[in-house]
Amino acid sequence: MIAPRRALVAGGVVAFAATLALGGCAAQPDVPSLAAVEEERSLTMTAAWVRAAAATDEYIARDWPEAEYPPLRFERWIESGSAVEETLACMEEILDRPVGGQEERGVVDLLPRPEGEPTWQLPVAQLRCQVQLIPWTGLYPFGGPLEQEWVRHQLTVALPACVRRWGGELVIPDLDRAVDASIFPTSSGREVVATQSVWLAAELRGVDAMTQARIRALCPDPGRTLAQLGPVEIRSIDVGPAGSGGQP
């Protein structure tokens, strides 16, 4: 986990993100609201966090059974670009001492363990911080039943109605592909930032280029709407020696 001198502090982020593919789902009404989509995302993310925290707690208990620490809990979302700095600051607060710094290559150079400090304190501090502070990337695989249904309603009702008001025709050759394009950010060509938009899988006909641009800018693109939701709520659940560890 942590070498005597160097460690990739951001390593726990991948493990957390990987758990999201197993997220839970909620009941499915005929036409869900965007608020219902946000609630579904919150439950999915909370369940994923609980699984990641429980796995972390089991790992600590296995490798450092003598470790003493409070229940694991989620604290806040952080910017992905500052994840290493935030994690180091969190570790320093727990340990009440400097822990090291990040080099240009992204590797963290850790300071030697002070004499008298238990060997478990540094790695456990890192693990605690990695479940307390979660980087938000916008790339988490949501797309639960409510979200899928909300997007389908937008693509078959709301968006076509808006396009018709401009005198155009919306053509979606593959509805499933359009739904995926609206939910899952994808890279296109040489673009560095992934795109989340129905217009990756939809066409406009019957209007000139200027009107097409206005339609794309003003009509409700479900992909753009979902991308703007931002970090979702992770419900307050303690996991650890004195925590509940239960599913939300």
Side-chain angles (χ1 to χ4, degrees):
M1 174 56 62
I2 297 184
R5 289 285 294 170
R6 298 176 184 271
L8 288 173
V9 177
V13 174
V14 175
F16 172 79
T19 67
L20 297 181
L22 300 177
C25 58
Q28 183 174 332
D30 291 337
V31 183
S33 65
L34 190 58
V37 172
E38 291 185 282
E39 174 72 6
E40 180 183 60
R41 284 187 164 201
S42 176
L43 293 175
T44 297
M45 189 66 77
T46 299
W49 183 89
V50 168
R51 291 192 297 272
T56 298
D57 187 59
E58 291 174 4
Y59 178 78
I60 293 174
R62 184 193 69 202
D63 282 29
W64 302 281
E66 72 279 15
E68 298 178 0
Y69 58 98
L72 303 174
R73 63 181 58 191
F74 172 76
E75 181 178 314
R76 58 187 168 86
W77 292 102
I78 58 176
E79 296 289 337
S80 59
S82 62
V84 173
E85 294 177 2
E86 295 260 20
T87 301
L88 287 173
C90 172
M91 293 166 62
E92 290 181 348
E93 182 177 354
I94 291 174
L95 297 172
D96 194 25
R97 68 169 177 84
V99 297
Q102 183 181 15
E103 298 181 353
E104 293 183 0
R105 296 175 298 169
V107 178
V108 175
D109 190 10
L110 297 177
L111 297 174
R113 177 172 57 89
E115 183 178 355
E117 181 178 280
T119 57
W120 59 264
Q121 282 196 348
L122 178 63
V124 169
Q126 179 182 10
L127 291 167
R128 287 175 58 190
C129 291
Q130 287 176 339
V131 296
Q132 289 178 199
L133 309 175
I134 307 298
W136 177 260
T137 67
L139 300 178
Y140 293 112
F142 293 111
L146 293 184
E147 188 165 344
Q148 294 272 345
E149 189 60 28
W150 179 83
V151 171
R152 287 179 180 275
H153 182 263
Q154 292 295 307
L155 298 184
T156 57
V157 178
L159 184 56
C162 182
V163 171
R164 286 194 296 270
R165 286 197 294 271
W166 288 87
E169 176 189 5
L170 176 68
V171 178
I172 301 179
D174 187 335
L175 182 58
D176 288 338
R177 179 170 176 265
V179 170
D180 287 347
S182 300
I183 294 176
F184 307 113
T186 57
S187 298
S188 177
R190 297 183 178 179
E191 294 181 4
V192 177
V193 179
T195 301
Q196 185 175 346
S197 172
V198 65
W199 300 115
L200 294 174
E203 304 173 12
L204 291 170
R205 295 177 184 173
V207 289
D208 58 29
M210 183 176 294
T211 303
Q212 287 192 29
R214 289 175 178 170
I215 291 174
R216 291 171 184 264
L218 299 176
C219 285
D221 179 349
R224 184 170 59 220
T225 300
L226 292 174
Q228 292 172 347
L229 289 182
V232 301
E233 178 189 8
I234 291 183
R235 310 297 171 86
S236 178
I237 297 178
D238 293 341
V239 174
S244 66
Q247 293 291 333

